[in-house]
C-alpha cells in the first residue's frame, strides 16, 4: 500500500515532484523545441471543477527554477480563482521562458500550440503577461484549446479591461470595509505596472478623481501612461518610501514582502498581480499585524478569467462578462467580514471558500472527462 509518507520519501530528492505533491498538482509538462527556441512549462493544478484554464505568460526568468516556482504558484492560484468565482473550471498555467519583446515569434507560438493540444483539452490557455490576442490566434492554429481569441475570429478579445474592472470592484469593496464608504475620490493610489490591466485600472481611478501615482520598469510604458492619463510617475525602486492610501500591484508577484511591508503606510493592498505575497501565510499575517487590509489577488483579479470563460461557453457578450465581474465587490465584502469576525487572514478566508466548493463538487464523484 502506498502511503503519504512513502510518497513524501520518494519525492524528497526531486524538488519539482515534492512541490507538486505539497501543492496538489496533477500534472506538469515541460516543453522544449530547439528549432524555435521554445522553452515552456505547463502546469495543471486541479481539474475537479472542469478543464484547467489559465493564461500563458512569457517572461525572461533568471533560471528554470524561478520559472517552475512561478508556474506552480500561478496554476494553483487559478484553481482558487475559478472556484471562488463560481466557474466550472480548474486551475492551470503556462510560462514561456524568454523576453516577449525580443524572443517571441510566430513559429515559437505555433509550436507551443501543439504542446497545448497534446494535453487533449485538460488545459486551456489564454492571454497573460507578455502575450496578446494576436498571439492567441497563432496558438489557435494548432489547438482548439485556447480562449481570449481576437474578436474578428469570434473571440472575446483582450480580457484586460474586464480584469481591471474586477480589481476596481475589489478595491472599492476594500475601501468600504476600511473607510465606511467605497468612494475613492481624493485617495492616493499607487499603481505598480502600466501594462494593459494597469492602464485600464488607472482609467477607472482617474474618472473617480483619485490621485494616482504610477510606476513601471519599462520607461516607454510609464511615459505612455503619464501622457494618456495625466498621472504622476514615481521611482520604480523606492516608491514604498512614499505616502499613499492604497497599493495596487499590477505587475509580477512577490512585491508584498518583509522589506516592503516594513515601509508601507497604506491601509489597503488591492491589485491585479498574481501571487502578491512573497510568502503567503507569513505576509498575510504581517499585513494584519500592521493594520493593512489585503484583498486576495485571486479573488479580485478574476475578471479576465470570467471573461474568457464566457467566451468558452459561447454567445459571448462583453456587457454580460462585466456584470458577472461586478459580483467581485460582494464576494470581497463577504471575505473581509469573515476575516474580521473569525480572526483569520483574508487569504485564508478566501481559500476556505474556494476549497469548500472544490470539496463539495469533488464529493459528487463525477470525474472531469477531458473534453470541452
Amino acid at each position: 500500500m502506498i502511503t503519504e509518507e512513502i510518497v513524501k520519501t520518494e519525492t524528497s530528492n526531486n524538488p519539482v515532484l515534492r512541490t507538486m505533491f505539497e501543492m496538489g498538482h496533477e500534472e506538469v509538462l515541460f516543453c522544449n523545441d530547439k528549432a524555435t527556441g521554445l522553452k515552456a512549462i505547463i502546469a495543471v493544478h486541479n481539474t475537479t471543477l472542469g478543464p484547467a484554464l489559465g493564461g500563458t505568460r512569457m517572461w525572461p526568468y533568471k533560471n528554470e527554477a524561478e520559472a517552475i516556482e512561478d508556474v506552480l504558484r500561478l496554476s494553483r492560484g487559478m484553481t482558487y480563482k475559478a472556484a471562488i468565482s463560481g466557474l466550472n473550471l480548474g486551475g492551470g498555467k503556462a510560462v514561456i521562458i524568454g523576453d516577449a519583446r525580443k524572443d517571441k515569434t510566430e513559429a515559437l507560438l505555433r509550436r507551443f500550440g501543439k504542446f497545448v493540444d497534446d494535453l487533449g483539452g485538460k488545459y486551456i490557455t489564454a492571454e497573460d503577461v507578455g502575450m496578446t490576442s494576436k498571439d492567441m490566434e497563432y496558438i489557435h492554429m494548432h489547438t482548439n484549446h485556447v480562449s481570449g481569441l481576437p474578436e474578428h475570429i469570434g473571440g472575446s478579445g483582450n480580457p484586460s479591461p474586464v480584469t481591471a474592472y474586477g480589481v476596481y470592484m475589489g478595491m472599492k469593496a476594500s475601501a468600504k470595509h476600511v473607510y465606511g464608504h467605497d468612494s475613492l475620490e481624493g485617495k492616493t493610489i499607487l499603481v505598480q505596472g502600466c501594462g494593459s490591466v494597469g492602464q485600464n485600472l488607472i482609467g477607472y481611478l482617474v474618472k473617480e478623481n483619485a490621485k494616482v501615482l504610477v510606476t513601471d520598469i519599462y520607461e516607454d510604458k510609464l511615459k505612455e501612461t503619464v501622457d494618456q492619463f495625466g498621472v504622476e510617475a514615481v521611482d520604480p525602486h523606492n516608491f514604498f518610501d512614499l505616502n499613499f492610501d492604497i497599493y495596487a500591484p499590477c505587475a509580477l508577484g512577490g512585491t508584498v514582502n518583509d522589506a516592503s511591508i516594513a515601509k508601507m503606510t497604506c491601509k489597503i493592498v488591492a491589485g491585479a498581480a498574481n501571487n502578491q505575497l512573497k510568502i503567503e501565510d507569513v505576509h498575510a499575517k504581517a499585513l494584519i499585524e500592521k493594520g493593512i487590509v489585503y484583498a486576495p489577488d485571486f479573488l479580485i483579479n478574476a475578471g479576465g478569467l470570467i471573461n474568457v470563460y464566457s467566451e468558452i461557453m459561447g454567445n459571448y457578450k462583453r456587457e454580460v462578462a462585466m456584470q458577472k465581474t461586478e459580483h467581485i465587490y460582494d464576494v470581497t465584502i463577504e471575505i473581509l467580514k469573515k476575516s474580521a469576525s473569525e480572526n483569520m487572514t483574508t487569504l485564508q478566508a478566501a481559500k476556505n471558500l474556494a476549497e469548500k466548493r472544490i470539496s463539495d463538487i469533488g464529493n459528487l464523484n463525477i470525474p472531469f472527462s477531458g473534453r470541452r
Side-chain angles (χ1 to χ4, degrees), residues 112-145:
F112 175 72
K114 291 183 179 180
F115 280 112
V116 171
D117 201 59
D118 287 343
L119 290 170
K122 191 174 187 179
Y123 169 68
I124 303 170
T125 196
E127 182 181 337
D128 203 295
V129 175
M131 304 293 279
T132 67
S133 296
K134 179 63 177 178
D135 298 332
M136 296 302 106
E137 188 174 358
Y138 286 134
I139 294 170
H140 182 52
M141 291 179 179
H142 298 278
T143 182
N144 288 323
H145 308 302

Side-chain angles (χ1 to χ4, degrees), residues 202-221:
I202 290 165
Y204 286 117
L205 301 178
V206 169
K207 286 180 181 178
E208 198 167 334
N209 295 318
K211 179 182 178 181
V212 181
L213 308 177
V214 297
T215 186
D216 198 289
I217 60 173
Y218 295 116
E219 291 186 6
D220 57 336
K221 295 300 294 184

